Amino acid sequence: MNTRTKANRRIAILLVMPVICGMLAFLPLTSSAASNEVELAAIINNFDPGNGGPAVGQLMAEANTANHTVTVLRGAAGARNSLELDIASGVTVIWKAEHYGWTYGGGLIGLSGEGTLEVAEGGTLINYGTDTAVAGHSAHSLIKVSGGILGAADGYAITTDDDSSVTISGGFVFAAGSGDAVLIPDGMPLVTDFGIVCGWKKSAWLVAYPEGTADDLTVIPADSAKWYRSGDLCGILYTNGLNVGFFPVSGISLYAKSDGDPAVFVPYKVKVTVDSLNIRKGPGKDTAITGTITDRGIYTIVDEADGPGAAKWGKLESGKGWISLDFTVKYQGGSSDLSGATQKPSSNPSAQPTQTPDPGATKRPVIMPGVEATKNPGTVISLQTPTPAPTKLLVEKNDMDKELQKP
């Protein structure tokens, strides 16, 4: 190769180098990869909740690389530290554990990456601190609620950055504060199927409301939640199809509406006493038959009305129609049963329910986790007091509310 050829090549390289450097300046910087299933399970299992217990091992998660899922089966009580999850695209963390705490920055659960966090049936995530329960820090995180409870005592239940997706198809999402339970850039979460979102716009730490109303509550869908008393506890009764439960809230009292106010109907349960009971389209024997009950089962009545053919007609919770209450008896599954139509709330507005103290603060209302209604047989609300967890109500919904689809 002659000297002139070598010189020409050197000149060509010198001319190309600035172009290459300019192109490199516009290339995006690479960041560390988000965690896969195995890595996420290890992060969760090694998480230190900061609650005075073991530094690791309180949470338990299992990875399934075939399905690209990580299922959380055990949470921690009284967590003080935020659990940060960087979820890779295509990976879903399914939360089926009870996990609550008092965090004050970053959320009880913090999300990044382009993966999905799904709160499923059996899962409970509640932050009692002045912070959110689930905070999406990434612009492309996906947050789903298909069951369970997601709540915040003083803030938002869910917050996200731009372009994040929030879908609520089941469970109960609740937050006390501004009245909005979810804060996302476009303003509204996607609520479908049996999902319920409820925000309490509290005007004071200690307040009194007329029972059966939705005063200071912002509810999606409308009329799916209202103030309700169950025994000595005050809280929110929520109902949307098969999604039925009671969510206790301390720091409030409920009182009966005055005689001049419209009557407040409280759902109750009945047991059918005949082998065949028609379900009709409306409250009257002159309306069309939409089905038949043949199991002598237990059903929830959500409204009453007068009509021909019966002393009183009751509307089924399933929405399939009305039945004659002449062939039913009111079901009393226990002293704390949801058959509250016979229970009269105290007329004393100052009466306060039992409160569970917040170990990290004083004079702050404490939201106590409710548990989503299940389809297991039985209708008794059993009152449980775990330690150190807050008082919890388990509402067991009878699945008898599936009327036969007969023409």
Side-chain angles (χ1 to χ4, degrees), residues 239-277:
T239 305
N240 184 8
L242 297 177
N243 184 9
V244 180
F246 175 73
F247 190 82
V249 180
S250 72
I252 66 166
S253 62
L254 302 179
Y255 58 91
K257 300 184 73 172
S258 65
D259 294 338
D261 293 334
V264 176
F265 185 87
V266 179
Y268 63 95
K269 294 183 182 293
V270 297
K271 179 174 176 58
V272 176
T273 59
V274 294
D275 292 332
S276 180
L277 179 61

Side-chain angles (χ1 to χ4, degrees), residues 211 228-229 264-270 301 304 330-332 337-345:
E211 184 175 9
Y228 183 76
R229 181 189 298 274
V264 176
F265 185 87
V266 179
Y268 63 95
K269 294 183 182 293
V270 297
I301 302 300
E304 292 179 349
K330 190 164 292 186
Y331 179 75
Q332 299 290 345
D337 190 12
L338 267 182
S339 55
T342 59
Q343 298 176 358
K344 300 298 183 181

Side-chain angles (χ1 to χ4, degrees), residues 280-289 305-310 313 322-323:
R280 295 191 176 269
K281 186 176 182 180
K285 195 174 181 179
D286 55 349
T287 63
I289 296 175
D306 297 325
W313 292 87
W322 297 70
I323 60 173

Side-chain angles (χ1 to χ4, degrees), residues 205-207 232-234 248-253 350-358 361-368 385 390-391:
W205 290 122
L206 298 177
V207 291
D232 293 332
L233 292 172
C234 297
V249 180
S250 72
I252 66 166
S253 62
S350 62
Q352 297 296 328
T354 302
Q355 299 187 24
T356 302
D358 178 343
T362 58
K363 296 184 179 179
R364 178 180 296 134
V366 178
I367 302 169
M368 294 174 287
T385 309
T391 303

Side-chain angles (χ1 to χ4, degrees), residues 121 127 131 182 193 204 227 245 266 374 386:
E121 184 173 354
N127 192 353
D131 198 2
V182 179
D193 300 328
W227 295 110
V266 179
T374 67

Side-chain angles (χ1 to χ4, degrees), residues 15 36 41 70 74 82 85 118 132 151 163 167 176 181 185 189 195 218 232 239 242-243 297 301 333-334 353 382 406:
L15 292 174
N36 60 30
V70 177
R74 185 176 67 218
S82 298
L85 300 177
E118 178 180 355
T132 186
D163 298 329
T167 302
T218 302
D232 293 332
T239 305
L242 297 177
N243 184 9
I301 302 300
S382 58
K406 290 185 178 180

